[in-house]
Each structure stands twice: as C-alpha cells, then as structure tokens.
Amino acid sequence: IDMDTKLTDELVNEGLAREVINRIQKTRKDAGFNVEDRIEIELNGSDEIINIIKSFDKYIQKETLTNKITFTSDKLKECFDYQIDDFNLSLKLKKA
C-alpha cells in the first residue's frame, strides 16, 4: 500500500477547526449547558486561529449548535482560555 502522509494546509486547518469544536464543547459542559441548548459565542484569539474559525464557521456552528459567532479584539471577561497548538483562544458562551 502506498499512502501519502503529507499534511496539507487544508488538512492542518481542518484539524485545528476540530480542536476549536472540541474546546467549545468542553466549555459548554463546564458552563453547565444542556446538550440541546443553542448558544452564541464571543471569541478572541491569535489571528491565525481566528482566520481558521472564519473559514470553517458554518461547520463549527452546526457541530456546536451555535446561532452566532462574534469576533472581538477586546479582552474578554469571565471567559475560558485555551491554547491550541501555538495559538491562543478565549471563548465566552451564552445561551441564545
């Protein structure tokens, strides 16, 4: 079997989008939301991770039951901070 194991930028970005989904789901759980709750997300982070989230926004929204994603450059208060690879991400969730 001959397999190409080279990671393309597209595959790496998709993997990072999945990590973002994982962090959102963890945040939902830690915040005590029900599985079926619709949410809104406010986030701030490294430019690279923000661009990836914007590229996969519909996919992320579908997987996390998110009605709206808001991007901000302001420091978020009462948020959850994560490190994904070399990128910083701060999330603030609320029920929609």
Side-chain angles (χ1 to χ4, degrees), residues 4-43:
D4 183 8
T5 58
K6 182 180 177 203
L7 292 176
T8 64
D9 287 343
E10 184 177 331
L11 286 174
V12 170
N13 290 346
E14 183 179 341
L16 288 170
R18 289 175 188 262
E19 286 297 321
V20 169
I21 290 168
N22 177 278
R23 298 314 191 284
I24 293 169
Q25 299 295 42
K26 179 185 180 343
T27 304
R28 287 174 61 99
K29 182 179 177 184
D30 291 348
F33 293 166
N34 292 321
V35 174
E36 67 276 356
D37 287 340
R38 305 286 307 177
I39 62 171
E40 293 181 1
I41 302 172
E42 186 175 7
L43 54 85

Side-chain angles (χ1 to χ4, degrees), residues 2-96:
D2 186 24
M3 290 178 49
D4 183 8
T5 58
K6 182 180 177 203
L7 292 176
T8 64
D9 287 343
E10 184 177 331
L11 286 174
V12 170
N13 290 346
E14 183 179 341
L16 288 170
R18 289 175 188 262
E19 286 297 321
V20 169
I21 290 168
N22 177 278
R23 298 314 191 284
I24 293 169
Q25 299 295 42
K26 179 185 180 343
T27 304
R28 287 174 61 99
K29 182 179 177 184
D30 291 348
F33 293 166
N34 292 321
V35 174
E36 67 276 356
D37 287 340
R38 305 286 307 177
I39 62 171
E40 293 181 1
I41 302 172
E42 186 175 7
L43 54 85
N44 181 347
S46 304
D47 289 341
E48 296 87 347
I49 199 75
I50 295 299
N51 289 333
I52 291 167
I53 293 168
K54 287 179 178 179
S55 295
F56 288 89
D57 66 334
K58 297 299 180 203
Y59 173 63
I60 292 170
Q61 287 180 1
K62 179 180 173 236
E63 292 296 313
T64 60
L65 298 179
T66 300
N67 289 349
K68 180 180 177 184
I69 297 176
T70 304
F71 302 94
T72 183
S73 59
D74 298 334
K75 175 79 172 134
L76 296 174
K77 296 178 182 176
E78 300 177 26
C79 65
F80 293 83
D81 294 313
Y82 296 105
Q83 182 81 24
I84 302 175
D85 288 349
D86 295 331
F87 310 118
N88 296 317
L89 181 65
S90 297
L91 297 171
K92 186 173 183 179
L93 306 183
K94 69 178 183 178
K95 289 184 184 180

